[in-house]
């Protein structure tokens, strides 16, 4: 149980830092070129999320896992599409909405 909580904490911190990096670009999202931090945080989120699902395997809540995975896939596709370039307005706001929606799905009880 301690291992699960530690991995969950790592997952939450990576998610919060990713959201903070998005919000830090609020005023200059269309001029600031992204660094490698988003990629590193995305990998940490993906690996920790997979480990969390594996640890709870028989009792996985698929109503939460499937939509969050879809949202993370959307975020990944947008980050690949705009790799090394600045975000468009549509892409930036889509990233923020997808990230906040995934957070809401994570905390809602089903």
């Amino acid at each position: 149980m301690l291992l699960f909580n530690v991995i969950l904490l790592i997952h939450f911190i990576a998610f919060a830092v990713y959201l903070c990096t998005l919000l830090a670009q609020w005023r200059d999202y269309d001029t600031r070129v992204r660094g490698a931090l988003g990629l590193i945080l995305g990998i940490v989120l993906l690996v920790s999320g997979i480990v969390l699902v594996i640890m709870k395997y028989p009792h996985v809540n698929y109503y939460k896992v499937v939509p969050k995975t879809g949202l993370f896939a959307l975020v990944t596709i947008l980050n690949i599409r705009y790799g090394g370039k600045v975000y468009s307005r549509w892409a930036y706001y889509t990233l923020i909405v997808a990230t906040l929606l995934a957070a809401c799905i994570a905390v809602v009880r089903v």
Side-chain angles (χ1 to χ4, degrees), residues 5-23 36-50 52 68 72 75 79 95 99-100 102-103 106:
N5 288 336
V6 168
I7 294 172
L8 185 62
L9 184 62
I10 291 169
H11 188 75
F12 173 75
I13 289 171
F15 192 82
V17 171
Y18 180 74
L19 183 61
C20 288
T21 58
L22 278 179
L23 294 177
L37 182 64
L39 176 64
I40 293 168
L41 290 172
I43 292 170
V44 170
L45 277 169
L46 181 65
V47 170
S48 63
I50 290 170
L52 287 170
K68 277 183 64 175
F72 285 139
V75 168
N79 280 319
L95 284 173
T99 304
L100 291 175

Side-chain angles (χ1 to χ4, degrees), residues 72-84:
F72 285 139
L74 175 66
V75 168
T76 302
I77 290 168
L78 285 174
N79 280 319
I80 289 171
R81 165 95 167 68
Y82 289 95

Side-chain angles (χ1 to χ4, degrees), residues 28-101:
D28 59 349
Y29 69 88
D30 55 346
T31 59
R32 183 187 292 182
V33 178
R34 297 176 298 112
L37 182 64
L39 176 64
I40 293 168
L41 290 172
I43 292 170
V44 170
L45 277 169
L46 181 65
V47 170
S48 63
I50 290 170
V51 170
L52 287 170
V53 169
I54 289 172
M55 291 180 78
K56 285 197 67 125
Y57 172 65
H59 306 290
V60 176
N61 190 349
Y62 291 106
Y63 295 111
K64 291 172 77 169
V65 171
V66 173
K68 277 183 64 175
T69 304
L71 288 170
F72 285 139
L74 175 66
V75 168
T76 302
I77 290 168
L78 285 174
N79 280 319
I80 289 171
R81 165 95 167 68
Y82 289 95
K85 297 186 278 186
V86 296
Y87 290 126
S88 68
R89 182 181 186 131
W90 177 85
Y92 180 71
Y93 288 123
T94 302
L95 284 173
I96 289 177
V97 167
T99 304
L100 291 175
L101 189 58

